Amino acid sequence: MASQLFRSSLRAIARPNLLKSIAAPTVNRRMPTVAFNATRSFSAAIPRMTNCAADADLVHKLDEEIEYEKSTEEANQPEFVKEFLDANPFKIEDKPGVDEVILSRTFGNEKIRVLFSISDINNAASDEFSAVDDMGAAEDEDSEEAVPFLVRASITIEKENQGAVTIDTVAENGKIAIESIMHYKDAKLANEQSAEADWQRRGLYIGPQFAELDEGLQSNFERYLEERGINTALANFLPDYVEYKEQKEYIQWLQNMKNFISI
């Protein structure tokens, strides 16, 4: 009897401890709150990393460059552009931010388009147009004379229901030199700038190299272009306009970079 009473009292003592052990595991409920607060503190600190002295220095330098370039910029259309347009029936299609420029005109039943790019300003002068000694020539570092550069121009002449002719040329030192001539039965292939049109052009015969043609035939093609305004005046105009447009695009590039970095 005494042993039974002893076991009963042990159960009574152990039961509260058992209940406490069952109800006790509630400590981990606060853990997600601690982790969430730590994450928010870290993310809130990230934007402060973008406010650095390098940004301010760069914006200041861009401002200086913009001010300097604008000090030499012509406020109105340059005189050489006005003179060319007054003497030649071309229209200029020049879109800001676009690398290419188009001159267009009509000649009888023909539509003529001259396409050129300002990227040629960075191209080195071609050996084909610059006589270079085989032994090399020492350049005068003190010379202030501007180094001439060539401008590639693609000339398209289109006739209704007759397709189009594309003539690849190079303008340098006041001359237009023909490189190749190609005829397209479909005028869209000559003008359209798309992956499909480019793929179709790749499979077509591009014609002979112009320099391989009979000299008399070369002369006739050159006269053919001169009558359409593809002449010395155009050859002198193209490099000047490339420099003018490149300067405009450079200033706008500086401004775009400043606006992006300063925000």
Side-chain angles (χ1 to χ4, degrees):
M1 183 69 179
S3 62
Q4 290 179 350
L5 290 172
F6 178 72
R7 284 195 294 270
S8 298
S9 38
L10 285 176
R11 292 192 191 99
I13 295 170
R15 189 175 293 117
N17 294 333
L18 178 61
L19 293 173
K20 289 180 181 179
S21 65
I22 294 173
T26 59
V27 177
N28 292 334
R29 292 180 182 177
R30 296 178 61 84
M31 294 301 293
T33 303
V34 175
F36 178 73
N37 290 338
T39 303
R40 291 187 62 183
S41 298
F42 175 76
S43 62
I46 291 178
R48 299 173 188 172
M49 298 175 63
T50 61
N51 298 326
C52 55
D55 292 26
D57 291 343
L58 181 53
V59 170
H60 177 70
K61 190 62 178 177
L62 287 168
D63 260 331
E64 289 182 347
E65 188 71 10
I66 292 171
E67 184 178 354
Y68 173 77
E69 294 296 335
K70 284 189 174 182
S71 66
T72 60
E73 183 184 24
E74 296 188 44
N76 301 317
Q77 190 180 61
E79 191 63 30
F80 80 91
V81 176
K82 295 179 182 179
E83 292 177 357
F84 177 80
L85 294 178
D86 289 342
N88 299 274
F90 281 103
K91 296 180 180 179
I92 299 178
E93 182 180 333
D94 182 355
K95 298 179 180 179
V98 177
D99 184 69
E100 295 178 333
V101 181
I102 297 175
L103 299 176
S104 61
R105 63 164 296 183
T106 58
F107 184 80
N109 64 340
E110 300 173 352
K111 295 179 181 179
I112 301 175
R113 188 182 72 159
V114 180
L115 176 68
F116 61 98
S117 170
I118 65 173
S119 62
D120 285 331
I121 196 171
N122 296 320
N123 293 340
S126 174
D127 289 342
E128 183 179 355
F129 296 90
S130 302
V132 179
D133 186 17
D134 293 337
M135 298 299 294
E139 297 182 355
D140 185 7
E141 296 181 356
D142 296 330
S143 176
E144 297 181 356
E145 184 178 355
V147 177
F149 64 94
L150 58 85
V151 178
R152 298 189 179 278
S154 180
I155 301 163
T156 301
I157 303 174
E158 180 182 345
K159 289 183 179 181
E160 188 175 359
N161 299 324
Q162 296 296 321
V165 168
T166 296
I167 305 174
D168 291 330
T169 67
V170 173
E172 186 182 27
N173 295 328
K175 296 181 180 179
I176 296 286
I178 301 174
E179 291 190 330
S180 63
I181 303 175
M182 186 171 183
H183 175 258
Y184 297 94
K185 291 183 179 181
D186 185 354
K188 289 184 179 180
L189 289 180
N191 298 315
E192 188 174 340
Q193 301 297 322
S194 67
E196 182 179 356
D198 184 59
W199 178 258
Q200 294 180 18
R201 283 191 289 264
R202 291 183 184 183
L204 299 177
Y205 174 63
I206 63 173
Q209 290 294 313
F210 185 75
E212 297 177 357
L213 295 177
D214 177 79
E215 291 184 1
L217 190 56
Q218 293 183 37
S219 298
N220 288 334
F221 270 118
E222 290 169 352
R223 288 175 53 198
Y224 173 83
L225 289 182
E226 287 178 1
E227 290 183 351
R228 288 157 176 79
I230 315 300
N231 50 25
T232 299
L234 180 65
N236 289 325
F237 174 79
L238 293 181
D240 290 343
Y241 198 86
V242 165
E243 289 184 327
Y244 162 67
K245 178 171 174 60
E246 199 277 337
Q247 179 68 8
K248 289 196 305 179
E249 296 297 338
Y250 175 59
I251 294 175
Q252 187 58 53
W253 177 85
L254 291 171
Q255 188 65 53
N256 292 340
M257 293 303 299
K258 175 195 169 184
N259 293 343
F260 177 82
I261 295 169
S262 61
I263 294 176

